[in-house]
Amino acid sequence: MTKREQPVREATVADVARAAGVSKAQAARALGGYGAVSEQVLSLVIAASEQLGYRPNQVARSMTTGRSNSIGVVVGDIENAHFGLALRGISDEVRDAGYTVVLVNTDEDLDAEVGAVQELLQQRVAGLVVAPCSSTQTAHLGSAQERGRAVVLFDRGIHGLELDTVRVDFADAALQVGRLLLDAGHRRIGYVSSLRTDGPYEPGADLGLSPVADRVRGIEQAFTEAEDEWDPTLVQLNAFSDDTLAAACAELLDRPAPATAVVCSDSLIALGVLGHIKRRGLRIPEDISVVAYDDFPWTELVEPPLTVVAQPVYDMGREAARALLRRLGHRVPAERLPLRAHLVERASVGAPSEEN
Amino acid sequence: MTKREQPVREATVADVARAAGVSKAQAARALGGYGAVSEQVLSLVIAASEQLGYRPNQVARSMTTGRSNSIGVVVGDIENAHFGLALRGISDEVRDAGYTVVLVNTDEDLDAEVGAVQELLQQRVAGLVVAPCSSTQTAHLGSAQERGRAVVLFDRGIHGLELDTVRVDFADAALQVGRLLLDAGHRRIGYVSSLRTDGPYEPGADLGLSPVADRVRGIEQAFTEAEDEWDPTLVQLNAFSDDTLAAACAELLDRPAPATAVVCSDSLIALGVLGHIKRRGLRIPEDISVVAYDDFPWTELVEPPLTVVAQPVYDMGREAARALLRRLGHRVPAERLPLRAHLVERASVGAPSEEN
DNA sequence: TTGAAAGCGCTAACAG
DNA sequence: CTGTTAGCGCTTTCAA
């Protein structure tokens, strides 16, 4: 029985060097693949390392280099398939470059986001991909960049901050959504989003560089084209929980002249809205039309199949990762993945009901 | 202009100590909250650290302590809402204990899993939560444990390996599923799972300590109760991709006596199966009955609403995290979260069609 | 191409 | 309660 029951000390560079009969520095160079090493030393070291089962201690490596081989990903809600899929894209893309992903969920809470970035920085992640929950409170992101960590924004951009941003331009798609609905005869079009804002929506309000801004603007533009105006009270933001979403639905439907169509800003919202509609016994599209953003498999399986705006979420994740890798000095394909949104017409849009 | 343009050196313990006029050790103790420090020194140090904006370097800390403040989570497919939700549970639970989550996706590939565990170990994660993709090839998990890292298994257990395992017992629920279908008059019940095996299913095959094993056994048991036998060719495993899933569906439906009911082992499978059924123009439940595992919101919104087996995925994640935290010496509630699966009858099960 | 030696920032003995 | 002193395992000057 040995003196100490410590869990089998791992082999270190020093151990390998000793076993190979070379200096620690040479062993480290051979193992790490940097610096100049002779054939002979190389094979000696390789042999010794295999024999000892040497595995580099990443923490020690990070300690000296000042950065780890992981990147931080900060999102508002992993439960949302949108982020799940994006995460997959990011993860797939950085793996090849040897990075691992540290994930933090913020519940779309700014303080949590600030804390997460802080923590990740203390962990010395090489870079960050963040889907910021605010488009105004962004000091923490700027400072991360200043502290020498690459930062890439996902989905939502930020005015006046020079950060790579990966997002789809929804101007076109949103305009199409607006026209589709308007052409079908709708005038009372509801819009529901989880985007947090300080107050209710007002026409021309600055929604930041968010997809929501694009989408709202597109509908507004369609109204303008039709020489009509969109009632701003039909834009329901801050629907980030079951309760707030329920409130938004009530706001839209329990009014003298209820919305005849509703646009759901993401698939989670859509799920909630559909539930509400079902519980109220409303039929789609006879009683109410629905359009949702994000084309996930289930949207085609509900009855009726949903008309949606598809976006290449997985590729967006990959592109975000590539942007980050570029910043980190890795070689990645120069050409960007085409990130386009497009309307997929199915069967959830119809004419407003007679009685309206 | 300064000599070097290095990105603002971060304040260190030494800096704080100097500013506070105390020794490095004292400053470290005050900052780290360990050891004995006088009130006076404490406030001096706190003041200095705030003044300098000191942030502990987690890497250095990990370097000395031998473990980081992050845990590794290894899953087969984050895209699967099942893991997405579990991840959320894990993440929420460990956050309070000060841990961060390093996520690795393996695509249900054993080599990838082995590599992931290796990498995570090199990163000195404090512990691991893994949903193993094989119930036999598990040397890497055992060795991780031996190397002093806590390992908790998720969903799938492993025979003969003493590892904490968090999983739901499906015996009851599966039996109920079998009875439900048998009572409705079905005899040709298909079962589709992504579980990888070396060959086709054979009665009594060892599916390991996996939920799939429970679920198949439950149906078998129901058959036994009914003094009947389940055709093993109706159990389709290895449906882990679009192609393999399509093949499984074809196998079930393109036979002289096609399955009249199909049980989907998870929500991803269900999505695929539903798509196939729809494409074939089959009606549910008139032409074919469907039962799925995992009760995600969309299952209630399809037409007809799906009869499912619900399982507390989020809580399973939390429980896995708690098990890990216990191993790591943290205080967590002693009582376990109740992890029970239950059948939710909706409208996707009916009698087999006449012609069958 | 090689080796010696100096840290990276922190924690942890060990003395006082 | 406090300070001194070693490292942790790796990378990286700097000379040879």
Side-chain angles (χ1 to χ4, degrees):
Chain A
M1 187 180 268
T2 44
K3 280 236 187 76
R4 300 183 189 185
E5 202 59 297
Q6 41 182 358
V8 216
R9 208 178 67 84
E10 312 267 336
T12 71
V13 175
D15 297 328
V16 175
R18 206 173 308 122
V22 301
S23 75
K24 205 173 60 155
Q26 279 307 83
R29 289 194 259 253
L31 260 8
Y34 56 91
V37 182
S38 70
E39 286 285 322
Q40 204 196 1
V41 169
L42 185 64
S43 58
L44 238 37
V45 171
I46 297 296
S49 85
E50 284 180 352
Q51 214 256 310
L52 294 174
Y54 169 79
R55 300 290 161 204
N57 179 331
Q58 294 292 356
V59 176
R61 181 170 286 173
S62 303
M63 170 94 240
T64 31
T65 60
R67 57 183 39 198
S68 75
N69 61 338
S70 51
I71 64 150
V73 174
V74 182
V75 300
D77 183 9
I78 348 167
E79 218 176 315
N80 188 331
H82 182 81
F83 290 127
L85 191 49
L87 180 60
R88 180 102 211 265
I90 294 172
S91 170
D92 285 355
E93 187 74 34
V94 299
R95 187 200 334 284
D96 299 329
Y99 291 92
T100 202
V101 171
V102 182
L103 176 70
V104 184
N105 195 66
T106 65
D107 283 321
E108 298 285 2
D109 176 67
L110 181 62
D111 289 342
E113 183 179 301
V114 174
V117 170
Q118 183 68 261
E119 170 62 29
L120 257 9
L121 253 28
Q122 291 174 207
Q123 271 184 41
R124 298 295 185 268
V125 293
L128 290 169
V129 173
V130 11
C133 61
S134 163
S135 4
T136 51
Q137 309 273 44
T138 55
H140 55 301
L141 300 173
S143 92
Q145 180 98 308
E146 278 164 25
R147 294 221 244 158
R149 307 287 145 173
V151 177
V152 171
L153 261 27
F154 188 79
D155 265 357
R156 308 201 256 261
I158 289 176
H159 285 300
L161 211 51
E162 286 199 27
L163 293 176
D164 284 351
T165 303
V166 172
R167 59 189 225 93
V168 172
D169 178 10
F170 287 102
D172 258 25
L175 179 58
Q176 282 181 58
V177 169
R179 285 177 182 160
L180 177 73
L181 260 12
L182 255 10
D183 286 352
H186 295 277
R187 284 300 175 274
R188 299 200 298 280
I189 302 171
Y191 186 94
V192 185
S193 163
S194 58
L195 184 73
R196 301 213 186 195
T197 58
D198 292 331
Y201 176 73
E202 284 171 28
D206 181 15
L207 264 22
L209 251 37
S210 72
V212 176
D214 286 357
R215 295 170 190 170
V216 168
R217 211 175 298 129
I219 298 178
E220 277 172 349
Q221 193 180 335
F223 266 98
T224 306
E225 283 181 358
E227 300 186 340
D228 201 343
E229 247 180 60
W230 191 16
D231 176 357
T233 67
L234 287 168
V235 177
Q236 293 289 322
L237 306 177
N238 300 299
F240 47 79
S241 67
D242 287 349
D243 292 348
T244 50
L245 178 54
C249 289
E251 196 64 47
L252 254 24
L253 303 175
D254 293 333
R255 53 169 74 193
T260 60
V262 40
V263 178
C264 308
S265 202
D266 67 52
S267 67
L268 234 39
I269 297 279
L271 243 11
V273 168
L274 254 32
H276 275 271
I277 288 175
K278 186 168 190 170
R279 245 163 282 136
R280 281 171 184 254
L282 262 26
R283 295 158 306 161
I284 303 173
E286 294 81 357
D287 302 318
I288 187 164
S289 290
V290 174
V291 175
Y293 277 83
D294 261 334
D295 181 25
F296 288 111
W298 67 263
T299 61
E300 200 177 351
L301 295 171
V302 291
E303 196 47 47
L306 253 39
T307 287
V308 299
V309 175
Q311 49 181 324
V313 188
Y314 177 77
D315 279 347
M316 288 163 66
R318 293 193 58 185
E319 196 51 71
R322 287 189 183 179
L324 194 60
L325 290 174
R326 275 186 206 105
R327 289 272 180 161
L328 296 176
H330 287 264
R331 313 191 135 245
V332 283
E335 76 287 3
R336 316 278 158 135
L337 295 169
L339 264 25
R340 267 188 284 278
H342 64 277
L343 184 64
V344 179
E345 287 195 54
R346 293 206 272 247
S348 58
V349 172
S353 69
E354 298 288 301
E355 55 188 298
N356 284 300
Chain B
M1 192 181 266
T2 44
K3 279 237 187 77
R4 301 183 187 185
E5 202 58 295
Q6 41 183 359
V8 214
R9 208 180 67 85
E10 312 267 337
T12 71
V13 176
D15 297 329
V16 174
R18 206 173 307 122
V22 301
S23 76
K24 203 174 61 156
Q26 279 307 82
R29 288 194 260 254
L31 259 9
Y34 58 92
V37 182
S38 68
E39 286 285 321
Q40 204 197 0
V41 169
L42 186 64
S43 57
L44 239 36
V45 171
I46 298 295
S49 85
E50 284 182 350
Q51 214 256 310
L52 294 174
Y54 169 79
R55 299 291 160 204
N57 179 331
Q58 294 292 356
V59 177
R61 181 171 286 173
S62 302
M63 171 94 241
T64 30
T65 59
R67 56 185 41 201
S68 73
N69 60 338
S70 52
I71 65 152
V73 175
V74 182
V75 300
D77 184 10
I78 347 169
E79 219 176 315
N80 188 328
H82 182 80
F83 290 127
L85 191 49
L87 180 60
R88 179 103 212 263
I90 293 171
S91 170
D92 285 355
E93 187 74 34
V94 299
R95 189 203 330 284
D96 299 329
Y99 290 92
T100 202
V101 171
V102 183
L103 177 71
V104 185
N105 195 66
T106 66
D107 284 321
E108 298 284 2
D109 177 66
L110 182 61
D111 289 342
E113 182 180 302
V114 174
V117 170
Q118 183 68 260
E119 170 64 29
L120 257 9
L121 252 28
Q122 291 174 207
Q123 270 185 43
R124 299 293 186 267
V125 293
L128 290 168
V129 174
V130 10
C133 61
S134 163
S135 3
T136 52
Q137 309 273 42
T138 55
H140 56 300
L141 299 174
S143 91
Q145 179 98 309
E146 279 165 24
R147 294 221 243 158
R149 307 286 144 174
V151 176
V152 172
L153 262 25
F154 188 79
D155 264 356
R156 308 200 255 262
I158 290 175
H159 286 299
L161 212 52
E162 285 199 27
L163 293 177
D164 283 352
T165 303
V166 172
R167 59 190 224 91
V168 171
D169 178 10
F170 287 103
D172 258 26
L175 179 58
Q176 283 182 57
V177 169
R179 284 177 182 159
L180 177 72
L181 260 13
L182 254 10
D183 287 352
H186 296 276
R187 284 300 175 272
R188 299 200 298 280
I189 302 171
Y191 186 94
V192 184
S193 163
S194 57
L195 184 72
R196 301 214 186 194
T197 58
D198 292 331
Y201 176 72
E202 285 171 26
D206 181 15
L207 264 22
L209 251 38
S210 71
V212 177
D214 286 357
R215 295 169 189 172
V216 167
R217 211 175 297 128
I219 298 178
E220 276 172 348
Q221 194 179 335
F223 267 97
T224 305
E225 282 181 358
E227 298 187 338
D228 201 341
E229 247 180 60
W230 191 17
D231 176 357
T233 66
L234 288 168
V235 178
Q236 294 289 322
L237 306 178
N238 300 298
F240 47 81
S241 67
D242 286 348
D243 292 348
T244 50
L245 179 56
C249 288
E251 195 64 47
L252 253 23
L253 302 175
D254 294 332
R255 52 168 74 192
T260 59
V262 40
V263 178
C264 307
S265 203
D266 67 51
S267 67
L268 235 40
I269 297 279
L271 243 11
V273 167
L274 253 31
H276 274 270
I277 288 176
K278 184 168 191 171
R279 247 164 280 137
R280 281 169 183 253
L282 262 26
R283 293 159 306 161
I284 302 172
E286 293 82 357
D287 302 318
I288 187 164
S289 291
V290 174
V291 175
Y293 277 82
D294 261 334
D295 180 26
F296 289 111
W298 67 264
T299 60
E300 199 177 349
L301 295 171
V302 292
E303 195 48 46
L306 253 39
T307 288
V308 299
V309 175
Q311 48 180 324
V313 188
Y314 178 77
D315 279 348
M316 288 163 65
R318 295 193 58 185
E319 195 51 70
R322 287 188 183 180
L324 194 60
L325 290 175
R326 276 187 204 103
R327 289 273 181 161
L328 296 176
H330 287 264
R331 314 191 136 245
V332 280
E335 76 287 3
R336 316 277 159 135
L337 295 169
L339 265 23
R340 267 187 286 278
H342 65 277
L343 183 63
V344 179
E345 286 195 55
R346 292 206 273 248
S348 60
V349 172
S353 70
E354 300 286 301
E355 54 188 299
N356 283 299

